[in-house]
Amino acid sequence: MKLTRILSVALAALSILASPGCAQDKEPSSGARLYLQYCAGCHGSNLKGGSGSNLLDNEWRVGGSTAQIYETIFTGIPSVGMPNFGAQLGEEKVREIVSYIEQVRATGDTGAPAKPVRSYSKLENLDYNVNVDVWVDGLNDPWGLAFLDERRAIVTEKNGPVRLILDGKLVPEAIEGTPKVVADGQGGMLDVTIDPNFADNGWIYLGYSHQLSNGKAMTRIVRGQLDGMKWINEQVVFEAPPATYMDTRHHYGTRIVFGPDGMLYFSIGERGRQQNAQVVNLPNGKIHRVTPDGKIPEDNPFVATPGAIPSIWSFGHRNPQGLAFNPVTGDLWESEHGPRGGDELNIVGKGKNYGWPEITYGINYNGSIVTRERVREGLEQPILYWRPSIAVSGIEFYTGDEFPYWKNHLLVSSLAFQELHLLHIENDRVIHEEVLMKGRGRIRESIVGPDGAIYCVMNDPHEILRLSSGGERRY
Ligand code: HEC
């Protein structure tokens, strides 16, 4: 580190010591404004974390001294998806942000007006009064949820455990013998789904971050069966070639769904290497399609392309964490975390290129440009993009009987914005978008239960909410 930078960091530290403790009645400092603009989307407006880490606890990846925090922000941590801000913001602005973080750490005061905690139990929209109940709590970072039947559901926890819910109660012990995961950054035990013929064959599919002995990791899909609380008969359904495993710890994608064609579709994010999304010889930045036992369907688009990964179905994706088949058209719909202002909703077609990072509606999180191109012939356009990014996670078409007016509309879950959206769909167009729920926590995914209620997998607080009808409002 340059001497000037060390000096300026030391000065910044002094100015914090000199500044009065309470910032409540003042204009937000420049550091506070920069933090909200560039950092809050990942680290939370209260600095307590989101997709980025909690900046108030004392756990540091690099280190918590003023100089180390400055260095982290200036140069980023590329292996985990922490962008670098030095070139874009310059030394002074980075210093102001460090001062702000240290001030909040010292005083516990973000300077922002305290937000009321939202713990409402009722919502309403034009169609329904909606009851919001905590269905299951006491979870640790839940990620994926799948119902096995009317009474049982499986929920994954990101740091590894796979848990059983029986009659709405979480079984205290985890299922024994599920795969070992690398729970670091955005990786861990991620999605779960069941076989369309589960009642006959008992297959459950898990998607997770798998680590080789060299420390590199990639998304892997296995299936197994339950014998009481034991995971048995495990088979690998998809495993990437070892040479394609990576040191990075983010953008794993990993949503798994079955298609009406009986095939298993799943997503892998570009693992923090943007350009890899365009290379069909690599598994990352792709939607994949395999048979339930992991074979390559003959009609996959790249089976005859030399060197290509034959499970690839579509490419040019950034970090897709939502997949759902449209029950009316039979098409595969996909959502992906974009760069800043570029979250996307796509209809995925065989062999098509969705353009990341050649075209995008977003910019890098540090404010630099990915590309100015939005549209290019041969590259697919999204059918919707979110600006600002809502941090779009799971998507699911509503198919139950609890909310008949919502049939075949799309539920979209957002992490950073803590929102559940309802998208009214006609053919291939989104004709109306409504925020059904907001501010109850980060939403990983929302699925339709066998009873037609909507179950939302929540982070912060870590629980599953059940949304049921409190009566029609269209009298
Ligand atoms: C695109 C998301 C994203 C944005 C935007 C972002 N960060 Fe991060 N940041 C991360 C991730 C991911 C990590 C690594 C978290 C982990 O350790 O698992 C991280 C780590 C950090 C760390 C190190 C924390 C530790 O535990 O050692 C600091 C400090 C930090 N970020 C500050 C900032 C500041 C200040 C900004 C705004 C200028 C910012 N970040 C913007 C994602 C982001």
Side-chain angles (χ1 to χ4, degrees):
M1 192 163 66
K2 280 202 223 101
L3 182 64
T4 49
R5 213 190 282 166
I6 295 177
L7 273 177
S8 48
V9 168
L11 280 177
L14 277 178
S15 69
I16 300 159
L17 292 177
S19 68
C22 178
Q24 209 138 46
D25 299 316
K26 288 185 306 187
E27 283 282 294
S29 67
S30 161
R33 272 187 275 114
L34 289 166
Y35 178 86
L36 275 182
Q37 183 177 353
Y38 289 100
C39 324
C42 292
H43 291 283
S45 52
N46 57 8
L47 285 68
K48 288 190 178 157
S51 67
S53 46
N54 184 329
L55 300 176
L56 302 184
D57 62 12
N58 284 312
E59 290 169 32
W60 299 101
R61 193 177 274 272
V62 173
S65 72
T66 303
Q68 284 165 319
I69 297 175
Y70 178 93
E71 198 59 30
T72 301
I73 301 169
F74 202 90
T75 54
I77 319 175
S79 63
V80 287
M82 164 64 194
N84 67 65
F85 290 91
Q88 201 61 27
L89 296 183
E91 296 186 10
E92 187 169 335
K93 286 187 173 153
V94 173
R95 270 200 313 278
E96 287 170 359
I97 298 174
V98 177
S99 307
Y100 171 69
I101 293 173
E102 299 210 307
Q103 183 184 317
V104 176
R105 286 178 58 81
T107 63
D109 179 6
T110 60
K115 271 201 202 150
V117 178
R118 308 237 202 161
S119 56
Y120 48 78
S121 56
K122 299 239 183 288
L123 298 167
E124 57 177 46
N125 90 332
L126 283 177
D127 303 321
Y128 300 101
N129 295 314
V130 179
N131 300 321
V132 181
D133 297 301
V134 176
W135 187 57
V136 167
D137 58 8
L139 291 162
N140 197 343
D141 252 322
W143 208 98
L145 175 67
F147 280 86
L148 304 182
D149 48 40
E150 307 266 315
R151 298 186 55 199
R152 293 180 303 162
I154 290 217
V155 58
T156 59
E157 292 181 319
K158 189 164 150 276
N159 58 345
V162 179
R163 313 285 302 267
L164 187 68
I165 297 165
L166 180 61
D167 295 329
K169 301 253 174 331
L170 184 67
V171 175
E173 309 79 39
I175 292 165
E176 261 175 68
T178 54
K180 190 167 173 297
V181 306
V182 48
D184 186 16
Q186 295 172 356
M189 182 56 76
L190 303 180
D191 206 19
V192 54
T193 199
I194 62 165
D195 198 281
N197 301 315
F198 175 81
D200 298 325
N201 62 28
W203 287 119
I204 298 168
Y205 298 75
L206 294 172
Y208 65 100
S209 312
H210 172 244
Q211 192 173 29
L212 299 176
S213 54
N214 63 10
K216 294 175 192 261
M218 190 54 87
T219 298
R220 192 189 208 214
I221 313 286
V222 299
R223 66 175 183 178
Q225 294 159 329
L226 274 189
D227 175 10
M229 287 298 286
K230 287 203 177 72
W231 176 253
I232 59 164
N233 297 334
E234 182 176 292
Q235 299 174 352
V236 175
V237 173
F238 171 84
E239 188 171 51
T244 67
Y245 276 53
M246 298 176 71
D247 288 320
T248 53
R249 291 291 185 258
H250 59 303
H251 296 183
Y252 287 95
T254 320
R255 190 63 67 194
I256 325 171
V257 290
F258 270 92
D261 57 358
M263 298 295 167
L264 185 74
Y265 293 76
F266 61 93
S267 60
I268 304 185
E270 35 79 306
R271 306 295 331 289
R273 292 288 174 275
Q274 304 186 347
Q275 208 53 47
N276 286 4
Q278 289 295 322
V279 182
V280 294
N281 297 17
L282 295 170
N284 41 331
K286 313 294 180 328
I287 308 296
H288 296 258
R289 175 181 185 250
V290 294
T291 66
D293 59 352
K295 297 197 178 68
I296 302 300
E298 278 172 17
D299 58 343
N300 268 10
F302 296 104
V303 284
T305 308
I309 305 275
S311 54
I312 293 175
W313 183 249
S314 64
F315 65 112
H317 300 287
R318 186 173 177 276
N319 189 23
Q321 293 198 324
L323 286 178
F325 276 89
N326 182 322
V328 179
T329 62
D331 288 334
L332 177 59
W333 288 49
E334 176 251 21
S335 65
E336 65 186 63
H337 293 284
R340 204 167 101 196
D343 282 2
E344 289 186 0
L345 183 66
N346 290 299
I347 299 177
V348 166
K350 172 176 172 176
K352 290 190 173 162
N353 181 351
Y354 289 81
W356 175 252
E358 299 291 316
I359 54 170
T360 177
Y361 286 90
I363 56 175
N364 285 316
Y365 280 90
N366 62 12
S368 62
I369 303 294
V370 182
T371 166
R372 294 192 187 275
E373 268 190 274
R374 304 277 179 265
V375 180
R376 192 194 293 173
E377 210 182 323
L379 304 181
E380 303 303 313
Q381 284 289 304
I383 57 162
L384 188 74
Y385 64 90
W386 284 275
R387 179 184 293 163
S389 295
I390 60 172
V392 60
S393 191
I395 59 173
E396 172 113 330
F397 285 90
Y398 183 76
T399 49
D401 295 325
E402 182 82 357
F403 302 104
Y405 293 127
W406 297 352
K407 262 222 164 117
N408 303 326
H409 292 334
L410 189 69
L411 296 164
V412 174
S413 300
S414 108
L415 291 161
F417 271 41
Q418 307 195 357
E419 289 174 351
L420 175 63
H421 293 209
L422 182 69
L423 273 52
H424 296 233
I425 311 282
E426 245 175 55
N427 303 315
D428 290 349
R429 303 286 293 180
V430 175
I431 55 166
H432 182 65
E433 179 172 17
E434 181 181 358
V435 176
L436 284 183
M437 180 166 79
K438 182 170 178 65
R440 284 275 319 221
R442 296 158 56 76
I443 316 179
R444 278 278 162 210
E445 70 164 344
S446 303
I447 68 168
V448 184
D451 57 356
I454 298 166
Y455 292 82
C456 305
V457 178
M458 310 295 295
N459 290 171
D460 308 316
H462 301 291
E463 58 194 15
I464 301 172
L465 297 179
R466 179 175 184 272
L467 273 49
S468 58
S469 171
E472 260 185 46
R473 301 185 72 244
R474 289 189 187 178
Y475 306 121

